[in-house]
Amino acid sequence: MPGLTAAVPAFGLALPEIVLAAGALVLVLIGAIRGERSVGLITGLALALIILVGALVFVRTGKAVTFNGSFVQDDFARFMKIAALVGSGVALVMSIDFWRGERVDRFEYAILIVLSTLGMMMMISAGDLIALYLGLELMSLALYVVAAIHRDNVRATEAGLKYFVLGALSSGMLLYGASLIYGFTGSVSFGGIATALKDHNSTGVIFGLVFVMAGLCFKISAVPFHMWTPDVYEGAPTPVTAFFAAAPKMAAMALAVRVVITAFPGILTQWQQIIVFVSIASMGLGAFAAIGQRNIKRLMAYSSIGHMGFALVGLAAGTTEGVQGVAIYMAIYLVMTLGCFAVILAMKRKDVYVENIDDLAGLGRTAPATAFVFAMLMFSLAGIPPLAGFFAKWYVFAAAVHANLYTLAVIGVLTSVVSTFYYLRIVKVMYFDEPAEAFDPMTPVLKVVSGLSGAFILLFWLWPAPLVTAATAAAKSLF
């Protein structure tokens, strides 16, 4: 059996994904046997599974390729997988009390989070167009169901339907682009595409790349494929929105970086134009469209569109420094987002969740610790030094300047200044408006998540080395 023995080590490279897939099947079996009584058990096991897989990813080092080039294991994959797993795990923990309070505890929720995370990990390690699409669809199909899992809520079912219809459209565009690229290069692997484009590049490949980037821009909610974001963020249950805002963004951004850097290094000037346009449009829309928002979840949706634009500034540089900037930006964005949604999930009066910005009035007097953490997160999202959000923007703008993209960097700084207005308005409401009725006491889980994210944001400047070193290693592994 020589063929079999040769294949065994290759499966070892995908051990975290195999463990996650097997674990998901076991959870489905437990749910099928025990029914709704198994909610607590399945949620606990799902969380343990995510932690175990995170540990397996963390201990893996070096670069290797398996499954005929379809699956890539390197430092970049390791960095982004850990970020995605953190996003999934924290979002799952934050959802427990919410579902219990709403009396819609369903064991399927935790399983769908696990399956979606498996899709994200496949996306991050994708080495060809087929693996890319398989990972993307596995993630997306679970997300469509999660968005509409609160079946008795009209807004949630509407959000799920909108996300599904527009998601199907974006998947079709991505598939069409992939078929064009395969047709003109004769290869589906990223390495094969890069080799084919060394000798000649054709208009057909560029058209294909445009369609592939359109599909990926939908997943990171970048302009002009952002239209689903505000409605889905507002309509979906808040813990689902927290999940959408965190983990899938990590995977989709990682995939976008891997595709353009490893498959299309020969046509940098062409894809750079696409990224620059999308980046400027996202930063501009994120800065101006959020100004008139009164719903905190819609505001976070427009904020996320803007932040994806800022992250793409680093990718537009097309350099190691640029990819390092993207990795740092996404990690800091993940922490800021989870912290913000921990506070949003605590916006509850007499067991009724509220979502308007005006409901935060006087929080500085009724809950000073929560207000301080939320204010710091707002300042960080705005990019005010010396908070972590400032350094996130610093790294991507510096990469753009070093790549001679001065106009892009200047537009980024200007839109960042504009977006400061709506972040500061929230701080003004919390500290200067007449106090509204106090919120119900914050649950211990939300206190821990918001406290840790606030501490990270405040103290990042004292010890940035671990994150920066990991991001540098991640970026170098792609070049």
Side-chain angles (χ1 to χ4, degrees):
M1 301 281 285
L4 183 63
T5 47
V8 170
F11 281 102
L13 290 172
L15 184 63
E17 286 76 10
I18 293 167
V19 168
L20 201 59
L25 294 176
V26 171
L27 294 180
V28 170
L29 200 60
I30 294 170
I33 294 167
R34 296 194 59 187
E36 296 302 334
R37 292 174 299 141
S38 62
V39 173
L41 174 64
I42 286 180
T43 305
L45 289 173
L47 193 58
L49 187 62
I50 288 171
I51 293 168
L52 170 64
V53 170
L56 289 173
V57 171
F58 185 76
V59 297
R60 287 177 177 272
T61 53
K63 182 169 182 174
V65 180
T66 186
F67 301 120
N68 291 325
S70 295
F71 189 91
V72 181
Q73 178 57 47
D74 55 18
D75 286 335
F76 180 74
R78 185 165 163 252
F79 184 96
M80 297 308 283
K81 280 179 186 178
I82 289 170
L85 287 162
V86 167
S88 298
V90 175
L92 183 58
V93 169
M94 290 198 299
S95 69
I96 295 169
D97 289 313
F98 178 91
W99 293 122
R100 205 172 285 149
E102 294 284 293
R103 292 184 175 80
V104 281
D105 264 7
R106 292 205 174 93
F107 71 83
E108 295 95 333
Y109 178 74
I111 297 170
L112 287 165
I113 295 280
V114 169
L115 288 170
S116 179
T117 307
L118 175 61
M120 291 174 215
M121 293 178 71
M122 284 181 64
M123 282 168 66
I124 293 168
S125 281
D128 63 26
L129 295 170
I130 296 169
L132 174 158
Y133 187 70
L134 282 173
L136 192 78
E137 283 306 291
L138 179 56
M139 177 188 85
S140 300
L141 289 170
L143 292 182
Y144 301 148
V145 182
V146 165
I149 199 160
H150 197 342
R151 287 184 304 227
D152 301 328
N153 186 316
V154 176
R155 288 201 314 167
T157 43
E158 183 188 341
L161 187 61
K162 279 180 181 172
Y163 191 32
F164 171 67
V165 171
L166 292 169
L169 175 68
S170 78
S171 294
M173 292 171 78
L174 188 139
L175 263 185
Y176 179 60
S179 65
L180 281 175
I181 291 167
Y182 171 64
F184 282 97
T185 62
S187 176
V188 291
S189 79
F190 296 160
I193 293 165
T195 305
L197 292 177
K198 268 183 188 169
D199 306 325
H200 70 285
N201 62 36
S202 65
T203 312
V205 171
I206 295 163
F207 266 102
L209 180 59
V210 168
F211 279 104
V212 168
M213 288 310 297
L216 295 177
C217 283
F218 177 89
K219 296 302 173 193
I220 59 170
S221 60
V223 177
F225 304 98
H226 65 284
M227 65 290 285
W228 62 275
T229 316
D231 292 338
V232 172
Y233 270 46
E234 184 184 2
T238 308
V240 174
T241 307
F243 177 58
F244 279 9
K249 291 274 201 303
M250 302 297 123
M253 185 62 80
L255 184 56
V257 171
R258 191 181 290 283
V259 167
V260 296
I261 296 294
T262 61
F264 300 98
I267 54 169
L268 184 139
T269 49
Q270 282 87 342
W271 63 253
Q272 198 175 48
Q273 292 172 41
I274 301 170
I275 303 292
V276 167
F277 166 75
V278 169
S279 175
I280 291 172
S282 300
M283 290 187 295
L285 185 108
F288 289 99
I291 289 173
Q293 299 305 319
R294 289 286 173 268
N295 183 292
I296 188 78
K297 282 160 72 178
R298 280 187 84 85
L299 184 137
M300 289 302 293
Y302 284 111
S303 167
S304 80
I305 293 167
H307 281 285
M308 291 306 103
F310 290 125
L312 288 170
V313 169
L315 180 54
T319 58
T320 310
E321 187 187 5
V323 174
Q324 176 206 19
V326 174
I328 293 170
Y329 198 100
M330 294 308 291
I332 292 174
Y333 169 78
L334 174 73
V335 176
M336 294 190 294
T337 302
L338 292 171
C340 286
F341 275 99
V343 176
I344 293 167
L345 273 163
M347 292 171 64
K348 185 169 70 163
R349 288 195 186 99
K350 295 171 185 168
D351 291 330
V352 176
Y353 287 92
V354 290
E355 295 175 3
N356 285 332
I357 292 168
D358 294 336
D359 290 310
L360 290 162
L363 192 67
R365 275 172 272 180
T366 56
T370 306
F372 175 75
V373 168
F374 203 39
M376 289 303 104
L377 289 165
M378 290 296 112
F379 285 139
S380 184
L381 284 167
I384 293 171
L387 302 172
F390 166 77
F391 292 99
K393 288 179 180 175
W394 170 270
Y395 280 106
V396 291
F397 291 157
V401 168
H402 293 154
N404 299 322
L405 298 172
Y406 302 112
T407 308
L408 181 62
V410 169
I411 291 171
V413 172
L414 292 176
T415 52
S416 189
V417 171
V418 173
S419 67
T420 304
F421 169 78
Y422 56 81
Y423 295 125
L424 291 183
R425 193 183 73 203
I426 293 173
V427 178
K428 173 255 175 194
V429 168
M430 288 194 296
Y431 282 97
F432 297 105
D433 285 12
E434 279 304 307
E437 188 184 344
F439 293 137
D440 296 348
M442 211 173 186
T443 63
V445 167
L446 297 181
K447 278 182 183 173
V448 169
V449 173
S450 59
L452 288 175
S453 62
F456 177 89
I457 294 308
L458 276 167
L459 304 176
F460 174 78
W461 63 279
L462 290 174
W463 196 39
L467 179 61
V468 174
T469 305
T472 306
K476 284 179 178 172
S477 71
L478 285 183
F479 289 87

